[in-house]
Amino acid sequence: MVDFGEILRTIGEFGLFQKLIILALALPNFLLPILFCSFLFIKSDPERHCNTDWILQADSNLTTDEQLNLTLPREEDGTFSRCQMFVPVDWDIGAIREYGLNETTGCMKGWVYNDTLYEATIVTDFDLVCDKSNVAEVAQTIFMAGLPAGSFIFGPTAESYGRRRTTQLPVVLLLIFVIVAGVSPNIYVYVVSQFIVGAALGGYRMNSTVLATEWIGVTKRSFASCMSQMFSAVGQCGMAGLVYAIRDWRMVQYVIAGVQAFIFVYIWWIPESARWLLGQGRTEEANKLIRRAAAINKKKIPENLLDEVFIKSRLLLPRSECGQTAIGFGSIAYRSAGLLSPLLNILAVYHWSIPIVVFSSLTLISGALVFLLPETRRKELPDSTIEAEGHKTMTNKNTGSDSNMVEHNSRKSTKLYSLNMADFGEILKSIGEFGLFQKITIFALCLPNVILPFLFASVFFIQSDPERHCNTDWILQADSNLTTDEQLNLTLPQEEDGTFSRCQMFVPVDWDIRAIREYGLNETTGCRNGWVYYKTLYEATIVTDFDLVCDQANLLEVAQAVFMAGILLGCLLFGPFAESFGRKWATQISLILLLIFTLTTGLCPNFYLYLASQFVAGIGYGGFRLNAVILATEWIGPSKRSWGACVTQLFGAVGQAVLAGLIYFIRDWRLAQLITASLFAVVASYIWFIPESARWLLDRGRTEEAKQLITKVAAINKRTVPESLMEKIVKKETEKKRGRIILIQSSVLRKYFLAVTLAWFSLNVTYYCLSFNVGNFGLNIFLTQLMFGLSELPAHVLCIWLLEAVGRKVSLMSTLLVGGFLCILILAVPQDDAIAVTTLAISGRFFINWAGSICNVYIQELFPTSFRQTASGLGSTASRVGGLLAPLLNMLAVYHWSIPTVVFSSLTLISGALSFVLPETRRRELPDSTDEAEGNSTPKNQSESNKPAQHMSTRL
């Protein structure tokens, strides 16, 4: 059979036909950057004042200066307020001049703009200033939201209806809604129009590139994408000149629409992709297009070439069935990043470096991960799944399908001589699936989980905005007999409500007390010598010890984020570490880190050392939580396996409840740290006696050590191990291990991994967003924390029973969906109803905790022993990313209190729905090979003689 690459070589890989198509499809990319003009060139904070023409009814002869002096209050620097005006009155001009105006309000009749860089922008036309200034970022975000929506819609649509139609339709949408945006009477019509423009832009950029690429041969294929980008770059340059010459955003929209109308005229003449037509079985249409392309390129086609094309289109899985969808999803991810970029820029209000650190880190990480991709230079576009997976070379497609299948199966059955185990489930049945040994191991590994919640004490129990005033003891040098009230009256300015300022003081002076009393102090400054705290709920917190108030108040969220970042890094480090050096070592080292740095945290003299210690303690926390669960689980049989994760979570819930009591009685965070460190010291005394995982030992080829452990476990459980079973633990052939790369190569395991990690990520975002707000629900913080902990206990107890009764899949879906629904209900109750808000938060957290236990069990049952730890580590890393983002997500509440709730509730609901793709693993053995994990063979003992035959029959 012939492949499409051979057709292109015959009719011309990059002839006149392809050049015309590229030019026609790339030309609109010159216009596309100009669509960003309306919210890029805006001058977001223009010079302005409120429109106060109401006073001209009292005296129409007032000069502009007189009008502003009479109707506008002034700022501290003497300039007129840009967002406030005096309340209009029905007085004559004489009364206004004599008595003046005092009561202020927001601008009632809009603004008057002056000294603007542009004639008109969306900011000046829609008054996006003062309390509406953030709407400009909303407009950007909505436009960017349209881009992934367009990719999501037009990607799958192109699979069904062709590349041509899904390129033409966006052009039509662009023409219509660019005009609609230009004539928008208000911001709401503008935003809707921009969303549709964004969707059309996303669809056009994606499909035009694919359409051009599928007509170009191997040697010049990169032209399609690069030319599109080059025209776009030219458009970026043209955009600056256009806006410089035409400084009215509406006029720019009309100019874009005019050029778009020209594109609209010729876009109908663009041909369909012949690859797609062949994939859809529309061979005659494809033949006509191929002949036309050959004629334009002045090439001749052999008579038998197109007959072979007809045969091939029926035999191979066409590229069009998944290629466009893959590009669509990739484009969605790309556009989602664009959608998040305005939100990321918002975080610069906390520190200018946050957006730069985030996007730079993401770029570096993705650059490293590109190492996993294959080289595709001068290779034909794959037309089948086998070709795309690399099971069949694309330079030799003419070989028969049978030989391809043999080659594919031979790759799957590649063997290495290594150590493996008898079915470990059979071993556990013999030595006891849940005997005394397993119970002791679980108890020993779960006990530290009572202590781990204590590590959050310093960032949970803080009273983030305590009553305070600046330390002004400098005035006591002038008169040491001043009373406290006199000292405060002389040294502190007062707020509008008559209270003393909590962040400002008068600048100290070298006067005697009489001069200070007579002339007073006027110049203010920030607190220079710290603060004096009073009426505090605690004796000492990191807020009061490190003065995390006023302009340092945002460092509290930084402390939370740094600790969560440590937990994330701990999962990332100790997952692969345990794969190489064992579960036991990874658990022990993590605990030692916890012991040392919990102690140093309590002794830190400043905030920066505190952050460093908390970060390392977080690393120990992440490593211990991850490896302790896996070490316990790998010793337990399938009927009781859920105990490994659920009892761990149950002990954690007990720790949450005890935490409330600990802080209630010990209200000093340093003392709480020292008590926590002493408890870790008790655990450190016995952690060295925890045994290694026999599964891991067998997988690493350390058979003798594994046999000794199995014999010891059998003795503790008062069982005997049959000699015949021990003899099975010998050297035998196993499949070639591909390590963690299998998570990417195997579509089945990749699907499972993404579904579980999304669920884990979502529930952790929700869990920590609620936890970090423990003091903001309106009820007593100790009572709320106690209820948080107590509510977790029944969740984990029920989890143990329901996982075996109804299974993992139903349990995970139901808990995530119900938990997300309860959280989103918080939006439906009044925020001042503390009981209702707290009840919903506790209920939602109950189900989220339940889902967390299920994820801990699920991820270990889905992946084989060779990379179970890595899968668990990466999954736990994703969950800790959720915890890391929780404080940052809570920061967005400054823009609107509902934003964090909407985001984490939506994530939980989406992940609950996507859990439908996971298989049921209840009462199944842990898989020991990739085939077992993928479901191609059951994890039972099978004779070596029948395995290859069964494998081949499954494939056929």
Side-chain angles (χ1 to χ4, degrees), residues 405-465:
M405 188 63 72
V406 170
E407 181 185 353
H408 177 55
N409 286 329
S410 67
R411 185 191 66 82
K412 290 293 288 183
S413 59
T414 301
K415 305 291 182 180
L416 288 180
Y417 198 67
S418 64
L419 290 168
N420 201 6
M421 60 199 84
D423 181 11
F424 199 77
E426 186 180 341
I427 296 173
L428 287 175
K429 289 186 182 75
S430 299
I431 66 176
E433 292 188 74
F434 196 65
L436 179 61
F437 169 81
Q438 285 90 346
K439 293 172 184 174
I440 293 173
T441 302
I442 281 187
F443 181 79
L445 289 171
C446 290
L447 185 59
N449 285 282
V450 177
I451 310 168
L452 291 178
F454 298 175
L455 296 174
F456 289 89
S458 65
V459 291
F460 277 2
F461 298 92
I462 47 177
Q463 196 175 359
S464 58
D465 192 27

Side-chain angles (χ1 to χ4, degrees), residues 644-764:
C646 294
V647 174
T648 299
Q649 299 284 73
L650 183 65
F651 274 65
V654 173
Q656 293 278 357
V658 174
L659 173 63
L662 176 70
I663 302 299
Y664 183 79
F665 291 105
I666 304 169
R667 305 201 179 194
D668 185 325
W669 74 277
R670 293 184 186 274
L671 184 55
Q673 289 289 128
L674 299 178
I675 291 174
T676 305
S678 65
L679 295 174
F680 278 133
V682 174
V683 178
S685 65
Y686 72 72
I687 198 70
W688 311 101
F689 300 101
I690 301 294
E692 183 54 89
S693 165
R695 280 184 186 271
W696 180 81
L697 290 171
L698 290 170
D699 193 61
R700 305 300 292 184
R702 294 160 63 175
T703 314
E704 290 305 316
E705 295 176 63
K707 285 183 178 179
Q708 291 174 8
L709 270 180
I710 291 167
T711 305
K712 187 185 298 182
V713 172
I716 294 173
N717 288 344
K718 298 180 181 179
R719 298 288 189 96
T720 57
V721 186
E723 288 296 326
S724 59
L725 183 62
M726 295 296 284
E727 290 172 0
K728 289 183 181 180
I729 309 176
V730 294
K731 295 190 177 191
K732 70 176 185 179
E733 289 187 343
T734 65
E735 65 173 350
K736 181 180 179 180
K737 291 179 189 173
R738 287 175 280 168
R740 65 205 68 170
I741 198 71
I742 194 67
L743 286 175
I744 298 173
Q745 290 179 335
S746 169
S747 60
V748 175
L749 297 185
R750 184 170 63 244
K751 176 178 69 177
Y752 296 165
F753 178 73
L754 292 176
V756 172
T757 51
L758 177 62
W760 219 346
F761 169 84
S762 304
L763 67 89
N764 245 38

Side-chain angles (χ1 to χ4, degrees), residues 341-352:
S341 58
L343 304 179
L344 181 59
N345 281 337
I346 288 174
L347 299 182
V349 301
Y350 300 102
H351 195 278
W352 63 268

